[in-house]
Amino acid sequence: MVLGRHPSCQVVLDNAAVSRTHAQILQNHGEFSVEDLHSRNGTLINGQKIRERTKLADGDEIRVCDVVMTFHLSLPAIGALPTSDGTLPPSPRPTGLLATVTGELFVPTASSADVLIEDNSSIISSLDVSPMPGIPRVEVRPEAKLRAMMEMTRSLGGSLDLTKLLGNFLKGLFNIFPHADRGCVLLKDEETGRIGIKAMQTRRDDIDSRGRVSMTIVRHAMSTRRAILSADAVDDQRFEVSESLSNLQLRSVVCAPLVGLQMQVYGVIQLDTLDVRQQFVQEDLDVLASVATLATLAVENATLHQAALKQQSMQREIDFAQQVQMGFLPTERPQVDTYQFFDFYEAAQGVGGDFFDYVPLPGGKVALGLGDVAGKGVAAALLMARLYSTARFELLTRPTPAEAMTGLNAQLASSGLGHRFVTLVFLVIDPATHRATLVNAGHLVPLLRKADGSIVKLEYADSGLPLGITPDVIYRQWEFDFEVGDVVVLFTDGVTEATTDGNELYGVKRLSEFVANGPEDVEPLGEALVAHVEAFCQGTSQRDDICLICAKRIA
């Protein structure tokens, strides 16, 4: 169960200090644990900030910024669970995993969409030109209209399956229109634009039920968004004489379009009769126009329900991909006596293409890797997963960081990535000699803050192209002394290209100024930098993944 600020989280914490995906609670063989998902402000257990997955015990206090939760393995005594005003709850709480929560908390629930229908939202009209064409007529037989509404409400209730729903709808129409020989509902496919029969009902076995419908009448009703009453469709001067009309020999037709709130036309309801003695009249059209509003609402709800189910399925896949991706990222920072480290990662779309890693090397060296896959979303995340394993292999098997980058590029360039490429930087720190080795493959230039607060850009003449463009690039490395008090900041373009609603960029200059004047230690510096970027954006949605690593020599 993921806790965070993003609406896709299972528990949404509506607090600006909370990261999009802040922490997660896991269950494994009856044991529960909590893990911080590289959040900006961290997760605390009993007042202690956690660095790795931590087992939960009964009564543990979990703090996520201003939200405090108490974990219980079993149902505690009622007195142990006060309500928000400090009083005891009026009735026993259900059994299960419980939490006492303070702060701003919002738990989303799955619910059907609420759609409001107002009288003036209907644009159905009869053949007569109404002085108020947007409102169904109510002066003709109001008792018949009320009866129709009640019948349709009963037939449309209790199902979100569109085929079953429309079948019940047509049965209800036959109860209201005893002289109708056939009824059908035609809907337009949103992807192809084709109009097809979704449901059909006939009263007698000798009536053609193979789906022969005059598209002349259907298209006219949909294009004009007006209900049609025709006493004799074959002779109706509004329609060009067509073979389908002549063959069907329709003596009377009522056809009402299904028009949604946003003026979109979903399809039509059509009733027809073959008996010249049982023709439809204006009152029938008024009733059908009224119930078409209910049918439109039912179609919209069923369509939204199917879209919601599809979205939920996709979201489950994304959530799983997010968990897999977070599993690739390191859960612990290097433990080096003379150095401090900080990292932050937040994807713009649940899963992303930014990448960072710590790789311990022989001789006590530590390699820091930070990169950015071109693009966002699942495709970038898949390439990031491959980059993670391949980069580790190259760093551990090659004698120098430059050769590791060269080998990594050769593999990526020959693996059929299409037009995708990767920018990446390796920084290898040797705590024994305090020498640092940098290899840059087209990535943003890292910043070095000296002990006196001055900023040095770590750029060199032999930096290479991004990975994946051409396989024969030979990368070069550059070394520098990592002195006491120095801080190196590696970052992706999600930091420098963060924008306000007026499209003003955060930029490298603003970043350099903040780093120069920021806190001395890396963890406060990194947290303050992320907060500064978010404050600069002024609530503008994140356009790109954000990834950041800070390293400082302290002795």
Side-chain angles (χ1 to χ4, degrees), residues 21-96:
T21 52
H22 196 104
Q24 64 180 349
I25 297 176
L26 306 164
Q27 180 185 12
N28 185 24
H29 300 293
E31 293 185 349
F32 293 87
S33 58
V34 64
E35 180 180 18
D36 186 80
L37 299 178
H38 302 280
S39 66
R40 171 163 55 90
N41 292 319
T43 304
L44 283 72
I45 302 295
N46 300 324
Q48 300 295 319
K49 183 177 286 189
I50 60 174
R51 300 296 185 189
E52 57 188 20
R53 188 173 298 178
T54 304
K55 182 179 177 181
L56 285 169
D58 189 61
D60 279 350
E61 181 187 272
I62 306 171
R63 177 179 288 273
V64 176
C65 299
D66 294 334
V67 180
V68 181
M69 293 163 278
T70 304
F71 175 80
H72 299 283
L73 284 170
S74 59
L75 181 68
I78 295 299
L81 292 171
T83 58
S84 59
D85 59 359
T87 61
L88 293 178
S91 60
R93 296 172 179 257
T95 59

Side-chain angles (χ1 to χ4, degrees), residues 481-527:
D481 291 323
F482 211 136
E483 299 177 349
V484 176
D486 286 355
V487 177
V488 172
V489 179
L490 311 177
F491 53 92
T492 60
D493 57 6
V495 176
T496 55
E497 294 182 7
T499 60
T500 64
D501 55 2
N503 290 325
E504 180 185 0
L505 288 176
Y506 187 79
V508 176
K509 180 180 179 181
R510 188 176 277 104
L511 172 63
S512 300
E513 292 174 352
F514 184 87
V515 172
N517 300 288
E520 292 187 4
D521 291 337
V522 291
E523 187 161 342
L525 174 65
E527 292 174 349

Side-chain angles (χ1 to χ4, degrees), residues 19 22 35 67 91 107 184 186 213 244 259 332 337 391 397 427 463 497 504 514 524 543:
S19 296
H22 196 104
E35 180 180 18
V67 180
S91 60
V107 182
C184 60
L186 293 88
V213 176
S244 62
V259 184
E332 296 183 7
D337 293 337
T397 57
L427 178 66
S463 59
E497 294 182 7
E504 180 185 0
F514 184 87
R543 297 183 180 180

Side-chain angles (χ1 to χ4, degrees), residues 6 220 262 325 361 374 416 511 535:
H6 196 274
H220 184 81
Q262 305 300 322
Q325 184 182 35
L361 300 178
L511 172 63

Side-chain angles (χ1 to χ4, degrees), residues 35 83 156 240 242 268 302 348 383 421 459 501 540:
E35 180 180 18
T83 58
L156 294 175
E240 295 181 4
S242 64
V268 299
L383 184 53
F421 60 89
E459 53 187 344
D501 55 2
T540 304

Side-chain angles (χ1 to χ4, degrees), residues 170-200:
L170 289 176
K171 291 178 182 179
L173 282 180
F174 271 27
N175 293 331
I176 298 173
F177 299 96
H179 50 298
D181 292 319
R182 184 178 62 169
C184 60
V185 179
L186 293 88
L187 298 180
K188 181 174 67 173
D189 188 293
E190 293 297 329
E191 295 183 358
T192 64
R194 299 186 62 179
I195 304 170
I197 297 175
K198 194 67 177 180
M200 177 172 283

